[in-house]
Amino acid sequence: MEITNVSEYEAIAKEKLPKMVFDYYASGAEDQWTLNQNRQAFSRILFRPRILIDVSKIDMTTTVLGFKISMPIMIAPTAMQKMAHPEGEYATARAASAAGTIMTLSSWATSSVEEVASTGPGIRFFQLYVYKDRHVVAQLVRRAERAGFKAIALTVDTPRLGRREADIKNRFVLPPFLTLKNFEGLDMGKMDQANDSGLASYVAGQIDRSLSWKDVKWLQTITDLPIFVKGVITAEDTRLAIQAGAAGIIVSNHGARQLDYVPATIMALEEVVKAAQGRVPVFLDGGVRRGTDVFKALALGASGIFIGRPVVFSLAAEGEAGVRKVLQMLREEFELTMALSGCRSLKEITRDHIVAEWDRPRLPPRL
């Protein structure tokens, strides 16, 4: 059966993957309210398309940190991709590069920064968890720099791991034939079986709960790479992130895997954009499955979006070809949405192209 949209990959992944692995990728925290909202909230935003505009040429290109990319659709960090497919992060890196876009590599990847760099040219960011041992962090950041990564995406919403009940039920643990490749030489690459979630135990043992804004400053003393703060959903933290020297902000609720009952990211986006006041670019991840979702995020002020689960689900289904297809489908849908909305370039996408449920009713123009 031909796959015609991104969401269809999830069912294929569910069939193909062991239950423990699929549940790890698919599930959210606790009641999974935010998980469902991340998707559903997009349906609370409708279009106000403009007609009779020459849309024979559509330009989707944009720049991120001065790097030109083919479209504002990038790859979010997702952990342990070799659980989905033997080629794991290698396949994802090649697919991103072929699509002319950015891949973010997870700290908890099953391929190292050096291995991913060896797949060939490409613009790549490195997602960072801050470990209790700062020497480990400094070493990892330097390795990412040496491997040609262009930015650090600092995850700030995980002082502790969210309560993911599927992982507790399944006693989730990294399969024995895999390691967290970036930590292999440091004796931190394995995950022990625990009486709940092996990952939760790993995080409790290794990740620094004392992480604070001063550490964002510290990070700038050990690297010249720009730092994106990933996991901001309020105006207050937006202002603090900018004060702390962030080069960009990623509005993220960690795929609804951390604190349940936080808003969908698309609902939090505008508050963050307004607080940023154009000082740094704001990006969104969480719930994007359609080109229409991409357009809505840009209309609300995002500079681009990142996709996570669609990557691992398509990777499980079809390897590199699956990830390429997801990026291609989103690209084509987004281009069509732009054309049907009367937008020929990203700068033509405005807040007036959408109406959200929370907008005040528009008064009809006085004649």
Side-chain angles (χ1 to χ4, degrees):
M1 187 188 75
E2 191 187 352
I3 288 166
T4 53
N5 67 68
V6 168
S7 296
E8 287 174 348
Y9 276 115
E10 183 167 353
I12 298 169
K14 188 171 188 176
E15 269 178 35
K16 279 199 161 189
L17 292 172
K19 180 173 163 49
M20 179 190 80
V21 171
F22 176 80
D23 286 354
Y24 170 73
Y25 291 141
S27 64
E30 297 188 355
D31 298 330
Q32 303 193 128
W33 184 87
T34 299
L35 182 69
N36 292 315
Q37 285 296 308
N38 267 0
R39 280 290 314 120
Q40 289 169 17
F42 281 101
S43 66
R44 296 162 73 178
I45 302 163
L46 302 179
F47 293 123
R48 301 183 69 247
R50 302 302 307 274
I51 53 167
L52 292 176
I53 291 165
D54 176 357
V55 290
S56 52
K57 287 190 178 69
I58 303 273
D59 178 12
M60 289 180 284
T61 61
T62 188
T63 58
V64 175
L65 296 175
F67 296 101
K68 192 167 183 184
I69 55 175
S70 68
M71 57 182 174
I73 301 164
M74 297 163 281
I75 292 183
T78 50
M80 314 177 215
Q81 292 180 12
K82 283 187 179 176
M83 294 194 306
H85 187 275
E87 290 182 11
E89 294 85 1
Y90 287 79
T92 303
R94 290 192 295 259
S97 183
T101 193
I102 292 166
M103 171 192 182
T104 316
L105 183 71
S106 169
S107 275
W108 296 336
T110 37
S111 313
S112 68
V113 287
E114 294 83 5
E115 287 171 335
V116 169
S118 77
T119 62
I123 306 156
R124 302 187 184 102
F125 295 168
F126 181 70
Q127 176 272 332
L128 181 68
Y129 282 117
V130 176
Y131 279 60
K132 290 173 183 173
D133 184 341
R134 292 308 158 90
H135 297 299
V136 168
V137 178
Q139 194 183 336
L140 196 51
V141 168
R142 277 195 288 272
R143 282 171 57 197
E145 265 183 316
R146 277 201 302 271
F149 284 68
K150 302 299 185 210
I152 300 293
L154 175 69
T155 296
V156 293
D157 57 13
T158 313
R160 297 172 58 172
L161 203 70
R163 183 176 173 83
R164 306 167 190 177
E165 292 178 6
D167 291 348
I168 297 169
K169 282 187 169 68
N170 294 331
R171 301 278 189 266
F172 174 80
V173 70
L174 183 65
F177 56 91
L178 295 173
T179 57
L180 301 178
K181 259 300 202 308
N182 288 315
F183 302 97
E184 199 172 33
L186 302 160
D187 281 338
M188 294 179 182
K190 282 290 179 197
M191 204 178 290
D192 299 322
Q193 192 81 47
N195 58 6
D196 54 0
S197 154
L199 184 61
S201 300
Y202 179 84
V203 168
Q206 302 288 2
I207 303 302
D208 192 349
R209 294 184 186 186
S210 77
L211 191 69
S212 70
W213 290 109
K214 72 179 187 311
D215 298 296
V216 181
K217 295 271 197 201
W218 168 76
L219 208 48
Q220 291 164 76
T221 68
I222 66 161
T223 183
D224 292 328
L225 291 180
I227 295 160
F228 283 7
V229 179
K230 177 178 182 288
V232 173
I233 52 174
T234 64
E236 296 91 327
D237 284 336
T238 302
R239 290 188 280 267
L240 289 172
I242 293 167
Q243 277 168 27
I249 286 166
I250 303 173
V251 176
S252 172
N253 53 35
H254 209 114
R257 295 158 76 78
Q258 283 299 101
L259 180 62
D260 201 13
Y261 298 97
V262 295
T265 46
I266 195 71
M267 302 291 285
L269 176 61
E270 203 163 22
E271 175 180 332
V272 171
V273 166
K274 284 176 176 167
Q277 296 179 320
R279 290 174 289 179
V280 298
V282 174
F283 302 90
L284 172 131
D285 80 14
V288 173
R289 300 292 181 274
R290 285 277 188 193
T292 49
D293 300 337
V294 180
F295 187 101
K296 289 170 185 180
L298 268 62
L300 286 168
S303 293
I305 64 92
F306 290 87
I307 52 167
R309 286 185 182 89
V311 172
V312 286
F313 292 151
S314 59
L315 188 61
E318 293 173 355
E320 182 185 337
V323 182
R324 282 184 185 231
K325 184 153 186 196
V326 156
L327 290 167
Q328 186 60 28
M329 283 190 293
L330 284 174
R331 180 190 175 84
E332 287 170 2
E333 287 179 16
F334 177 55
E335 184 179 28
L336 182 60
T337 306
M338 284 178 70
L340 295 179
S341 296
C343 299
R344 295 162 293 198
S345 68
L346 303 191
K347 68 175 185 296
E348 290 188 352
I349 300 173
T350 69
R351 185 61 171 80
D352 288 331
H353 284 97
I354 58 166
V355 57
E357 243 177 44
W358 55 90
D359 289 344
R360 284 196 298 273
R362 286 174 175 272
L363 296 170
R366 281 199 293 272
L367 297 172

